[in-house]
Amino acid sequence: MKKPVLVVGGAGYIGSHTCMILAQRGYQPIVFDNLCNGHEEFVRWGVLEVGDVRDTRRVEQVIEKHRPLAILHFAALIEVGQSLADPLSFYDNNVIGSLNLLRAAIAGGVNYFVFSSTCATYGLPQSERLDESHRQVPINPYGRTKWIVEQALKDYSELLNIKAVILRYFNAAGADFEGRIGEWHQPETHAIPIAIEAALGRRTGFKIFGTDYQTRDGTCVRDYVHVLDLADAHVRAVDYLLAGGETEAINLGTGTGTTVKELLNTIRAVSGRAFPVEETSRRAGDSTSLVADNTKAATLLGWQPQYSIEDIVKSAWNWHTRHNAP
């Protein structure tokens, strides 16, 4: 008999891929999603329960109905620029929604919680590779909302018997290799899908924001991690908690950085297409380099990323060429 887990935000990008891996490993995903940013057609490996994390009674009903062993929480607003324009919505959804979900979990006797966090909680990096001891000074409302929920989880763990794994993503990318689900944001703001759309002629081109950084080619460095590697880490986190693991914060990244120019060259190589690229000035708040130290994930979860930047681009190209056409 499959073990039920509640996947909040399971119709979204990372949540849906995690549901796929959960189902493969003997779990029954119960997808709870308001379908505001998620997609009903992505719910292919679980049962869909439509609802909003801010609706206390609805969350309680779903927990009472399905009796999940653990909760994986992906439901959040994620765009940094949007958080600067509309911080109220971010605090309402990301903080109030998360606290509401935790309240319902405690009331329903669910003590195991996997939280989707971000390297944005670190703020401006103070070292070449970021480990979990790096100071947390987020510089935008998005990062601050995630940091606040992290603090709540640590308090709840100490005082209310909640055990949580906090997973701090670096740059999620790629798609299911069979092209069944993939990255689908409206509007799209992430580098890989934007560049692929440019290569497909769906955009006029791609902008590089800054070419004067202290990096090997002058452009920013980011740690791109395949969404299936992220999904694998979430399932391992559930296994870890159910086996008696303690509350921990864990980085999820490959430990390898890719510059913007290297990324574009990879997309050109995979697609076989050239596309216009404009070099322009830096954006405020962009860090020179964000690369994970993932030692803790290997030690506690036995997790090692399996996919390279080439794998990421190939899977993303496959998804975007078959889907997302205007």
Side-chain angles (χ1 to χ4, degrees):
M1 184 174 179
K2 290 200 169 187
K3 300 168 283 187
V5 292
L6 183 62
V7 186
V8 181
Y13 174 43
I14 302 172
S16 61
H17 286 82
T18 300
C19 286
M20 180 174 68
I21 304 301
L22 283 165
Q24 290 172 2
R25 298 188 188 167
Y27 290 97
Q28 173 61 59
I30 312 301
V31 174
F32 185 82
D33 202 297
N34 65 7
L35 302 179
C36 179
N37 294 311
H39 308 282
E40 188 170 357
E41 53 266 55
F42 280 11
V43 185
R44 305 179 56 153
W45 298 275
V47 177
L48 175 61
E49 296 279 3
V50 177
D52 193 289
V53 288
R54 293 162 293 185
D55 184 344
T56 304
R57 183 60 191 138
R58 181 64 180 137
V59 178
E60 290 174 344
Q61 287 173 343
V62 171
I63 290 174
E64 183 177 357
K65 176 180 177 181
H66 294 282
R67 299 292 179 186
L69 299 176
I71 294 174
L72 297 91
H73 180 26
F74 297 93
L77 300 178
I78 63 170
E79 299 300 339
V80 171
Q82 184 186 358
S83 80
L84 294 167
D86 185 14
L88 179 60
S89 292
F90 276 69
Y91 279 90
D92 183 36
N93 187 90
N94 295 5
V95 177
I96 294 174
S98 296
L99 297 180
N100 194 60
L101 179 60
L102 280 164
R103 183 184 298 110
I106 292 166
V110 185
N111 296 325
Y112 303 119
F113 203 90
V114 179
F115 177 57
S116 169
S117 192
T118 171
C119 65
T121 65
Y122 294 126
L124 298 176
Q126 305 297 305
S127 56
E128 185 173 337
R129 275 182 172 75
L130 307 183
D131 67 19
E132 293 80 0
S133 67
H134 188 284
R135 68 176 191 174
Q136 289 182 282
V137 188
I139 61 172
N140 52 62
Y142 165 63
R144 282 189 281 273
T145 61
K146 291 290 191 176
W147 179 83
I148 289 168
V149 179
E150 285 197 17
Q151 305 318 301
L153 282 169
K154 291 172 183 177
D155 286 338
Y156 286 23
S157 176
E158 182 178 346
L159 303 171
L160 297 173
N161 200 35
I162 289 285
K163 300 300 181 186
V165 173
I166 296 162
L167 296 174
R168 296 176 185 150
Y169 308 162
F170 280 65
N171 287 61
D176 163 42
F177 285 94
E178 294 184 32
R180 294 165 292 183
I181 52 177
E183 190 166 8
W184 183 3
H185 300 122
Q186 295 173 325
E188 186 56 70
T189 61
H190 293 171
I192 290 176
I194 287 174
I196 287 175
E197 288 177 1
L200 288 168
R202 298 175 186 170
R203 291 176 180 262
T204 56
F206 183 93
K207 286 186 178 181
I208 298 178
F209 294 100
T211 57
D212 58 347
Y213 288 95
Q214 293 300 305
T215 63
R216 51 188 171 268
D217 63 19
T219 62
C220 290
V221 173
R222 294 294 181 266
D223 187 340
Y224 295 96
V225 56
H226 200 287
V227 65
L228 289 179
D229 282 326
L230 292 178
D232 172 51
H234 282 81
V235 182
R236 289 172 181 269
V238 174
D239 292 340
Y240 164 83
L241 289 172
L242 294 180
E246 295 296 321
T247 295
E248 294 285 353
I250 300 174
N251 284 342
L252 294 182
T254 65
T256 300
T258 300
T259 70
V260 176
K261 288 184 177 179
E262 289 167 348
L263 175 64
L264 296 180
N265 285 337
T266 303
I267 292 171
R268 291 187 188 101
V270 167
S271 67
R273 301 190 185 191
F275 51 93
V277 174
E278 177 187 354
E279 296 182 358
T280 187
S281 57
R282 297 185 183 194
R283 292 180 300 192
D286 274 350
S287 297
T288 299
S289 179
L290 288 170
V291 179
D293 181 326
N294 59 21
T295 304
K296 193 173 182 181
T299 301
L300 290 183
L301 303 181
W303 180 79
Q304 291 285 349
Q306 300 300 306
Y307 301 110
S308 67
I309 189 64
E310 290 79 12
D311 296 324
I312 287 171
V313 171
K314 286 176 182 177
S315 65
W317 177 258
N318 180 46
W319 161 255
H320 286 286
T321 53
R322 295 168 61 177
H323 302 276
N324 287 3

